[in-house]
Amino acid sequence: MIAPDLTVSIPDTIRTVHFIGIGGSGVSGLARMFLAAGVPVSGSDRSESQNTRDLAELGATVTIGHDASNLPDNADAVVYTGAIWPENPEFLRAKQLGMAVLHRSQALRYLIGTHRLVSVAGAHGKTTSTGMIVTALAQLGADPNYVNGGVIQALGASSGTGADDLFVIEADESDGTFLTYDTSIALITNVDADHLDHYGSHDAFDDAFVQFAEEASEAVVISSDDPGAVRVGARLTHSRVLTFGEAEDAGVRVSDITEQGPVAFRVEYAGRGADVQLQVPGRHNAINATGAIAVLLSLGYALSDAARAVSSFGGTVRRFELHGIESGVSVYDDYAHHPTEVAAALQAARSVVGEGRIIALHQPHTYSRTQLMSAEFARTLEDLADHTVVLDVYGAREDPIPGVTGALVSDAFDDEGRVSYVPDWQAAAERAAAVARDGDFIITLGCGDVYRIIPQVLGALRGDESA
């Protein structure tokens, strides 16, 4: 992992830009924004993906594999993420040439400029909440700029340029860079401690969110239910704080949540109420939508209009996304990579699976999180899935830690008959298919590359010999 060096000066004008890791969920959105602005874009990634193919079709020069020769001599800026290794040859070459080597957060700051900024932060729910706000704004006739961590279904993209002054972003707290933006309205979905490899302690994690909220120039929208958010909220001195959630004293209160199928609920604010019917399942999405409505209220929209507009949200890619049905078994994918997110995804699945069972295909993400939270993952999976197949750890930016494998999760199950540790992907796909029967759900869980196993799972359900 490369720690962001935010002391590097951002050029006043970027006429050409090169991205290291251009296919990433966040970086690909930035690349789209530069292309839309007419800036020539080049970039590289370790493997081909839909993002790299889409960017190439849009005019970017994309190379698969990292090599110093990929770096254009005339790049005004080279953008990287913390996910690359310090010895990346393009990163080292750009440093050697004295180029402006910018962390992705700095490239985003360049794009934001002086726009009025809505920043969405929190350990969970950022991508969905951002997608809800952007979708609703479009329904309300606005034309915002936005950069999200996932593709918004209704818009078909993770980023977009608009004619309005408003800019909506998913603000990443993992490395502290969410504190570098000049935020107007801050939405805090929750403060569930994560990324302690960066922060070092729960207190430091809380401190960062307090700073993020206090520096918002217009308003803070924060959960009334999440214990961490309540801790942070109690410390705020901001003049305009709007809480949201199920708590009796929430400023924007959600109630009467109906979870069977697409979630429905009632939301109330300042003596007025509105009923909302979403297109996506899950209690957590009722809460996310209420936070999005609270942001829209802070932007000056009426409750009835905000509730209607949020109802149009159709989901984001890799958030409880159906990929196919074979032999009566529905195969879903979800980005969940923290126990709280896994719980939300499985509860959403339970609300729509009916009499069927849930088979989870879990890919632990990062060695440090697996080492720290393996028992919590096991409890969540054992409580909420009928059977779990555990893959090996997706290391992402981290070096392996001796003894830390997916077996840490499977070994922590109380009922060993409810879990299988299968590091080989083909064998894992076949195991999940063998357990499943007509009416069941298989759901892949993780923010690494676990979604790539889905064709093997569908093939195994069909009985393909080469699945």
Side-chain angles (χ1 to χ4, degrees), residues 69-150:
S69 64
N70 295 335
L71 194 67
D73 294 334
N74 64 338
D76 291 318
V78 175
V79 180
Y80 68 96
T81 77
I84 69 170
W85 298 104
E87 60 270 21
N88 182 284
E90 296 168 37
F91 179 80
L92 294 176
R93 179 63 174 161
K95 287 280 193 180
Q96 182 184 31
L97 293 175
M99 292 179 166
V101 183
L102 307 178
H103 185 260
R104 59 173 174 74
S105 63
Q106 293 174 294
L108 180 53
R109 279 174 57 197
Y110 174 87
L111 291 168
I112 293 167
T114 59
H115 285 86
R116 185 186 185 196
L117 181 63
V118 176
S119 295
V120 181
H124 329 293
K126 292 189 296 292
T127 302
T128 296
S129 298
T130 303
M132 287 177 168
I133 294 167
V134 174
T135 302
L137 285 168
Q139 283 290 313
L140 290 165
D143 188 18
N145 304 271
Y146 64 94
V147 175
N148 198 19

Side-chain angles (χ1 to χ4, degrees), residues 121-259:
H124 329 293
K126 292 189 296 292
T127 302
T128 296
S129 298
T130 303
M132 287 177 168
I133 294 167
V134 174
T135 302
L137 285 168
Q139 283 290 313
L140 290 165
D143 188 18
N145 304 271
Y146 64 94
V147 175
N148 198 19
V151 173
I152 302 169
Q153 294 280 20
L155 303 175
S158 63
S159 65
T161 55
D164 292 355
D165 181 50
L166 197 63
F167 208 122
V168 185
I169 67 167
E170 176 182 337
D172 184 13
E173 82 286 346
S174 68
D175 53 12
T177 53
F178 74 143
L179 300 176
T180 66
Y181 306 118
D182 294 325
T183 295
S184 299
I185 298 174
L187 168 59
I188 299 176
T189 59
N190 47 68
V191 186
D192 193 354
D194 198 2
H195 310 295
L196 296 184
D197 54 329
H198 171 77
Y199 289 97
S201 70
H202 289 74
D203 288 343
F205 192 70
D206 283 5
D207 290 346
F209 276 90
V210 171
Q211 181 182 344
F212 172 69
E214 295 284 48
E215 291 180 351
S217 61
E218 295 182 30
V220 179
V221 177
I222 186 168
S223 169
S224 65
D225 304 337
D226 174 70
V230 172
R231 283 195 312 271
V232 167
R235 295 171 56 187
L236 298 183
T237 61
H238 200 286
S239 61
R240 190 179 180 201
V241 177
L242 182 60
T243 60
F244 70 93
E246 295 182 270
E248 291 288 342
D249 61 350
V252 184
R253 185 166 184 267
V254 58
S255 63
D256 302 326
I257 299 174
T258 302
E259 295 186 69

Side-chain angles (χ1 to χ4, degrees), residues 28 31-33 35-36 51-61:
S28 60
R32 285 175 177 271
M33 295 284 281
L35 285 167
N51 283 339
T52 61
R53 290 189 289 270
D54 289 346
L55 288 168
E57 288 182 7
L58 290 171
T61 301

